[in-house]
Amino acid sequence: MLTRLTAAIASATQPGGAGLAEAVLSITDTLVVVLDPQGRVVRFNPAAERLSGFSFEEVRGQVLWPFVLPEHEVAGVVQAFESLAAGDYPNRYENHWQTRRGEWRYILWSNTALLDARGRVALVVATGVDVTREREERRARQETEDRFRALFEQSADGVVLIDPHDPEVPWRIVDCNEAFCRMNGYARDELVGQSVDLLHPYPMMAEEGGELFAWIREEGQVHGEGSHLHRDGTVFPIESASSVVTVGGRELILGQDRDIRDRKRTEEQLRLLAAQLAHDSQHDALTGLPNRTLLLDRLQVELRRAARDGRALAVIHLNLDGFRRVNDTLGHAVGDAVLREVARRLQEDVRPSDTVARLGGDEFVVLIPDVGGRPEAGGVARRLQAALAQPIDVDGQPVNVRGSMGVAVSPPDSSLPANLLRQADLAMTQAKREGKNGVQFFQKSLDAAVHGQLHLEARLRAALDAGGLHLHYQPQVDTTTGALLGFEALVRWTDTQLGLVSPARFIPLAEEAGLIGPLGAWVLDEACRQAAEWRLRVPIAVNVSALEVAQEDFTQRVHATLRRHGLDGGQLKLEITERLSVQDLQRAARQLAQLHGLGVQLSLDDFGTGQSSVSTLLQLPLNELKLDRSLITGVAESPIEQRVVSALISLGRSLNLTVIVEGVETPEQLRVLRDLGCGAVQGYLTGRPGPASMWTPHLGGPLPLNLPERSAGAGDGEPLLN
């Protein structure tokens, strides 16, 4: 049976549970040690640090036994651990711990295992209680009633002695300390002799006392959370620890209770903040409509459904005609009111299954699934135009709005989400060209850009065949010491006809054209070749597409590349985009678990742009979160952005993930990030991307990075880089 503490740890695998688990781990006096299947330390909570004398940082990633076990007990503990890792869980055992100071402590352990998606042991969770004192008391029998009374009274927690065997008063309170009385609002003489159910919202002990006593006796000491009924009628949450003790020859229950109202309030605030962040990341702040991110997600889902069911869907791109004039003449406040009213009218005029989204400015998109082809889609567009025909009243000021609409219908138009949106946008642009306030359908003749894309694709294929690509490298540095933590490899393309082509243009094209595999393989090989040539002792980071990770032979290709260049897994970091669908996640988790087993470091790129929840982090075997540059554009001035970044850094830490922030361009941004506890950054401030030849001369000494000096008190004004 899992202890309640272990159940709390397991709750971290659920969305929103990580904050609770971290609080329990930090506050509890129970030793909590989380090990991987090889016995290496993944988590070592403050109670374990205090007892052992070793810090988490000292034992992180190390096999635990040499630090705390006496030599003669190692074999037995290793055998018990191997049985647990092989599936014999949960179990309990006892052993000695030798502290850093040479003291011997006797620990009672309750152990279980957390499984991965395949049912294999991923983590071993050991919750331990230091029972040295109890052992000594039983062995020596020297503990006196006076000493027990002193400890009882001096405890900062509420302590109560309960007789679970009284036939007249169920779970009668025998004694309690002042802290227990104060916590519950009673005097001691008002509690002694009463059933502890006086403090429960319902007669819990009368109904469940037998079961609870058996559990406490079996476990020796149990921890959990519950609630107490205060004398004033309020119900408040408590954290409790209960054990069976013998006092004066009687078997009693010793309960230690702690009021956790403050902690619960903090957890609720964090939960609300997380929910708000999740909502804000996918919705337009002005209108509350879905934004582009959520629209693309829904469009991808509906396109798959339409393909499966043989149905069509329509995308209507709406742009208000002459809206800039409203802002210029009546002011932005009126403009915002107009946009909110347009959003309301559009939503009222479509079905609940349809999606109205705002892309920004005066651009809206309406997604209509299950549509009967172009005629029906055109009818919807004209109905939406009619909905906007009536003037909008803003504080007595009538404002007339009209809209140009472009319609793309799949099929026959594109089945790719971004391309379908682009086609609707092209049709809307044509509607504006033809006089505005009209409806146009996408036609291939409109798509001059398609021919440009085809030409671009042909040039990209030629570049892949002829070696027309090259890599630039950008350093990732420690914010405290300025030490080089690694390089990110960034692909660049300079075409003889097109000139410099932006990655933002050719990488999506490579994904759509089926070239992302060859492109990604080339980047990985070239980056590893350069790392081997440099003899880097820090990892080289390579971006990989979700489409690459989904390929069945991806793990084998990575492994073969590492072997070809004589690198081990720890010298490579793969940065995976946050934009993964649920299906992508399932495939990625399998592939990345294999790579993680090779020692390859895994980073979740673009985090904070709204695609992933905490559950995404828990499904993937990650080492690092990479916060998107969009999160820090105003972090030096904005307390709100600072709160968001701080929350994300704390989230990463709670999951034992390194956090790196990209896009750092100013000294002010760096100083704020350093104050928020960010340990690693990347950006123009710490080094612009450049070819390998730019960095090669500096690898043997300080890098040519122009960082600001630390603020006063943060290092006596010495430069960040040595």
Side-chain angles (χ1 to χ4, degrees), residues 595-606:
L595 290 168
H596 195 266
L598 298 175
V600 175
Q601 298 185 43
L602 302 172
S603 175
L604 187 60
D605 200 2
D606 299 330

mmCIF file with all atom_site columns, all heavy atoms in Angstrom, residues 595-606:
data_model
loop_
_atom_site.group_PDB
_atom_site.id
_atom_site.type_symbol
_atom_site.label_atom_id
_atom_site.label_alt_id
_atom_site.label_comp_id
_atom_site.label_asym_id
_atom_site.label_entity_id
_atom_site.label_seq_id
_atom_site.pdbx_PDB_ins_code
_atom_site.Cartn_x
_atom_site.Cartn_y
_atom_site.Cartn_z
_atom_site.occupancy
_atom_site.B_iso_or_equiv
_atom_site.pdbx_formal_charge
_atom_site.auth_seq_id
_atom_site.auth_comp_id
_atom_site.auth_asym_id
_atom_site.auth_atom_id
_atom_site.pdbx_PDB_model_num
ATOM 1  N N   . LEU A 1 595 ? 16.622 7.686  -26.458 1.00 0.00 ? 595 LEU A N   1
ATOM 2  C CA  . LEU A 1 595 ? 17.744 8.616  -26.543 1.00 0.00 ? 595 LEU A CA  1
ATOM 3  C C   . LEU A 1 595 ? 18.254 8.992  -25.159 1.00 0.00 ? 595 LEU A C   1
ATOM 4  O O   . LEU A 1 595 ? 19.460 9.118  -24.925 1.00 0.00 ? 595 LEU A O   1
ATOM 5  C CB  . LEU A 1 595 ? 17.321 9.867  -27.310 1.00 0.00 ? 595 LEU A CB  1
ATOM 6  C CG  . LEU A 1 595 ? 17.084 9.666  -28.804 1.00 0.00 ? 595 LEU A CG  1
ATOM 7  C CD1 . LEU A 1 595 ? 16.401 10.881 -29.391 1.00 0.00 ? 595 LEU A CD1 1
ATOM 8  C CD2 . LEU A 1 595 ? 18.401 9.402  -29.519 1.00 0.00 ? 595 LEU A CD2 1
ATOM 9  N N   . HIS A 1 596 ? 17.314 9.182  -24.234 1.00 0.00 ? 596 HIS A N   1
ATOM 10 C CA  . HIS A 1 596 ? 17.697 9.509  -22.863 1.00 0.00 ? 596 HIS A CA  1
ATOM 11 C C   . HIS A 1 596 ? 18.556 8.394  -22.282 1.00 0.00 ? 596 HIS A C   1
ATOM 12 O O   . HIS A 1 596 ? 19.514 8.646  -21.535 1.00 0.00 ? 596 HIS A O   1
ATOM 13 C CB  . HIS A 1 596 ? 16.442 9.721  -22.027 1.00 0.00 ? 596 HIS A CB  1
ATOM 14 C CG  . HIS A 1 596 ? 16.692 10.398 -20.718 1.00 0.00 ? 596 HIS A CG  1
ATOM 15 N ND1 . HIS A 1 596 ? 16.905 9.712  -19.550 1.00 0.00 ? 596 HIS A ND1 1
ATOM 16 C CD2 . HIS A 1 596 ? 16.778 11.718 -20.395 1.00 0.00 ? 596 HIS A CD2 1
ATOM 17 C CE1 . HIS A 1 596 ? 17.096 10.566 -18.561 1.00 0.00 ? 596 HIS A CE1 1
ATOM 18 N NE2 . HIS A 1 596 ? 17.033 11.779 -19.044 1.00 0.00 ? 596 HIS A NE2 1
ATOM 19 N N   . GLY A 1 597 ? 18.230 7.150  -22.646 1.00 0.00 ? 597 GLY A N   1
ATOM 20 C CA  . GLY A 1 597 ? 19.028 6.032  -22.183 1.00 0.00 ? 597 GLY A CA  1
ATOM 21 C C   . GLY A 1 597 ? 20.444 6.047  -22.726 1.00 0.00 ? 597 GLY A C   1
ATOM 22 O O   . GLY A 1 597 ? 21.357 5.469  -22.117 1.00 0.00 ? 597 GLY A O   1
ATOM 23 N N   . LEU A 1 598 ? 20.637 6.701  -23.860 1.00 0.00 ? 598 LEU A N   1
ATOM 24 C CA  . LEU A 1 598 ? 21.987 6.839  -24.427 1.00 0.00 ? 598 LEU A CA  1
ATOM 25 C C   . LEU A 1 598 ? 22.764 7.977  -23.779 1.00 0.00 ? 598 LEU A C   1
ATOM 26 O O   . LEU A 1 598 ? 23.935 8.184  -24.095 1.00 0.00 ? 598 LEU A O   1
ATOM 27 C CB  . LEU A 1 598 ? 21.901 7.098  -25.941 1.00 0.00 ? 598 LEU A CB  1
ATOM 28 C CG  . LEU A 1 598 ? 21.268 6.008  -26.804 1.00 0.00 ? 598 LEU A CG  1
ATOM 29 C CD1 . LEU A 1 598 ? 21.163 6.486  -28.247 1.00 0.00 ? 598 LEU A CD1 1
ATOM 30 C CD2 . LEU A 1 598 ? 22.083 4.730  -26.723 1.00 0.00 ? 598 LEU A CD2 1
ATOM 31 N N   . GLY A 1 599 ? 22.098 8.740  -22.901 1.00 0.00 ? 599 GLY A N   1
ATOM 32 C CA  . GLY A 1 599 ? 22.752 9.884  -22.268 1.00 0.00 ? 599 GLY A CA  1
ATOM 33 C C   . GLY A 1 599 ? 22.540 11.194 -22.986 1.00 0.00 ? 599 GLY A C   1
ATOM 34 O O   . GLY A 1 599 ? 23.052 12.228 -22.555 1.00 0.00 ? 599 GLY A O   1
ATOM 35 N N   . VAL A 1 600 ? 21.807 11.175 -24.104 1.00 0.00 ? 600 VAL A N   1
ATOM 36 C CA  . VAL A 1 600 ? 21.545 12.411 -24.841 1.00 0.00 ? 600 VAL A CA  1
ATOM 37 C C   . VAL A 1 600 ? 20.677 13.323 -23.990 1.00 0.00 ? 600 VAL A C   1
ATOM 38 O O   . VAL A 1 600 ? 19.676 12.895 -23.417 1.00 0.00 ? 600 VAL A O   1
ATOM 39 C CB  . VAL A 1 600 ? 20.846 12.103 -26.183 1.00 0.00 ? 600 VAL A CB  1
ATOM 40 C CG1 . VAL A 1 600 ? 20.464 13.391 -26.893 1.00 0.00 ? 600 VAL A CG1 1
ATOM 41 C CG2 . VAL A 1 600 ? 21.756 11.259 -27.065 1.00 0.00 ? 600 VAL A CG2 1
ATOM 42 N N   . GLN A 1 601 ? 21.051 14.598 -23.907 1.00 0.00 ? 601 GLN A N   1
ATOM 43 C CA  . GLN A 1 601 ? 20.257 15.570 -23.166 1.00 0.00 ? 601 GLN A CA  1
ATOM 44 C C   . GLN A 1 601 ? 19.092 16.042 -24.030 1.00 0.00 ? 601 GLN A C   1
ATOM 45 O O   . GLN A 1 601 ? 19.230 16.191 -25.239 1.00 0.00 ? 601 GLN A O   1
ATOM 46 C CB  . GLN A 1 601 ? 21.120 16.758 -22.748 1.00 0.00 ? 601 GLN A CB  1
ATOM 47 C CG  . GLN A 1 601 ? 22.264 16.376 -21.819 1.00 0.00 ? 601 GLN A CG  1
ATOM 48 C CD  . GLN A 1 601 ? 23.024 17.593 -21.339 1.00 0.00 ? 601 GLN A CD  1
ATOM 49 O OE1 . GLN A 1 601 ? 22.434 18.612 -20.988 1.00 0.00 ? 601 GLN A OE1 1
ATOM 50 N NE2 . GLN A 1 601 ? 24.351 17.497 -21.333 1.00 0.00 ? 601 GLN A NE2 1
ATOM 51 N N   . LEU A 1 602 ? 17.956 16.268 -23.391 1.00 0.00 ? 602 LEU A N   1
ATOM 52 C CA  . LEU A 1 602 ? 16.744 16.619 -24.118 1.00 0.00 ? 602 LEU A CA  1
ATOM 53 C C   . LEU A 1 602 ? 16.180 17.926 -23.575 1.00 0.00 ? 602 LEU A C   1
ATOM 54 O O   . LEU A 1 602 ? 15.992 18.082 -22.365 1.00 0.00 ? 602 LEU A O   1
ATOM 55 C CB  . LEU A 1 602 ? 15.704 15.502 -23.989 1.00 0.00 ? 602 LEU A CB  1
ATOM 56 C CG  . LEU A 1 602 ? 16.176 14.131 -24.498 1.00 0.00 ? 602 LEU A CG  1
ATOM 57 C CD1 . LEU A 1 602 ? 15.171 13.057 -24.154 1.00 0.00 ? 602 LEU A CD1 1
ATOM 58 C CD2 . LEU A 1 602 ? 16.426 14.166 -25.992 1.00 0.00 ? 602 LEU A CD2 1
ATOM 59 N N   . SER A 1 603 ? 15.931 18.861 -24.482 1.00 0.00 ? 603 SER A N   1
ATOM 60 C CA  . SER A 1 603 ? 15.452 20.192 -24.105 1.00 0.00 ? 603 SER A CA  1
ATOM 61 C C   . SER A 1 603 ? 14.139 20.460 -24.819 1.00 0.00 ? 603 SER A C   1
ATOM 62 O O   . SER A 1 603 ? 13.987 20.162 -26.007 1.00 0.00 ? 603 SER A O   1
ATOM 63 C CB  . SER A 1 603 ? 16.482 21.256 -24.498 1.00 0.00 ? 603 SER A CB  1
ATOM 64 O OG  . SER A 1 603 ? 15.988 22.559 -24.254 1.00 0.00 ? 603 SER A OG  1
ATOM 65 N N   . LEU A 1 604 ? 13.149 21.016 -24.077 1.00 0.00 ? 604 LEU A N   1
ATOM 66 C CA  . LEU A 1 604 ? 11.873 21.397 -24.683 1.00 0.00 ? 604 LEU A CA  1
ATOM 67 C C   . LEU A 1 604 ? 11.968 22.862 -25.088 1.00 0.00 ? 604 LEU A C   1
ATOM 68 O O   . LEU A 1 604 ? 12.001 23.760 -24.255 1.00 0.00 ? 604 LEU A O   1
ATOM 69 C CB  . LEU A 1 604 ? 10.718 21.181 -23.704 1.00 0.00 ? 604 LEU A CB  1
ATOM 70 C CG  . LEU A 1 604 ? 9.317  21.382 -24.281 1.00 0.00 ? 604 LEU A CG  1
ATOM 71 C CD1 . LEU A 1 604 ? 9.048  20.414 -25.426 1.00 0.00 ? 604 LEU A CD1 1
ATOM 72 C CD2 . LEU A 1 604 ? 8.252  21.214 -23.213 1.00 0.00 ? 604 LEU A CD2 1
ATOM 73 N N   . ASP A 1 605 ? 12.013 23.095 -26.399 1.00 0.00 ? 605 ASP A N   1
ATOM 74 C CA  . ASP A 1 605 ? 12.226 24.434 -26.943 1.00 0.00 ? 605 ASP A CA  1
ATOM 75 C C   . ASP A 1 605 ? 10.911 25.200 -27.000 1.00 0.00 ? 605 ASP A C   1
ATOM 76 O O   . ASP A 1 605 ? 9.828  24.618 -26.987 1.00 0.00 ? 605 ASP A O   1
ATOM 77 C CB  . ASP A 1 605 ? 12.822 24.305 -28.351 1.00 0.00 ? 605 ASP A CB  1
ATOM 78 C CG  . ASP A 1 605 ? 13.525 25.572 -28.799 1.00 0.00 ? 605 ASP A CG  1
ATOM 79 O OD1 . ASP A 1 605 ? 13.589 26.524 -28.005 1.00 0.00 ? 605 ASP A OD1 1
ATOM 80 O OD2 . ASP A 1 605 ? 13.996 25.612 -29.936 1.00 0.00 ? 605 ASP A OD2 1
ATOM 81 N N   . ASP A 1 606 ? 11.008 26.526 -27.091 1.00 0.00 ? 606 ASP A N   1
ATOM 82 C CA  . ASP A 1 606 ? 9.857  27.427 -27.247 1.00 0.00 ? 606 ASP A CA  1
ATOM 83 C C   . ASP A 1 606 ? 8.875  27.313 -26.099 1.00 0.00 ? 606 ASP A C   1
ATOM 84 O O   . ASP A 1 606 ? 7.693  27.612 -26.258 1.00 0.00 ? 606 ASP A O   1
ATOM 85 C CB  . ASP A 1 606 ? 9.104  27.140 -28.565 1.00 0.00 ? 606 ASP A CB  1
ATOM 86 C CG  . ASP A 1 606 ? 9.978  27.337 -29.772 1.00 0.00 ? 606 ASP A CG  1
ATOM 87 O OD1 . ASP A 1 606 ? 10.886 28.185 -29.712 1.00 0.00 ? 606 ASP A OD1 1
ATOM 88 O OD2 . ASP A 1 606 ? 9.761  26.636 -30.779 1.00 0.00 ? 606 ASP A OD2 1
#
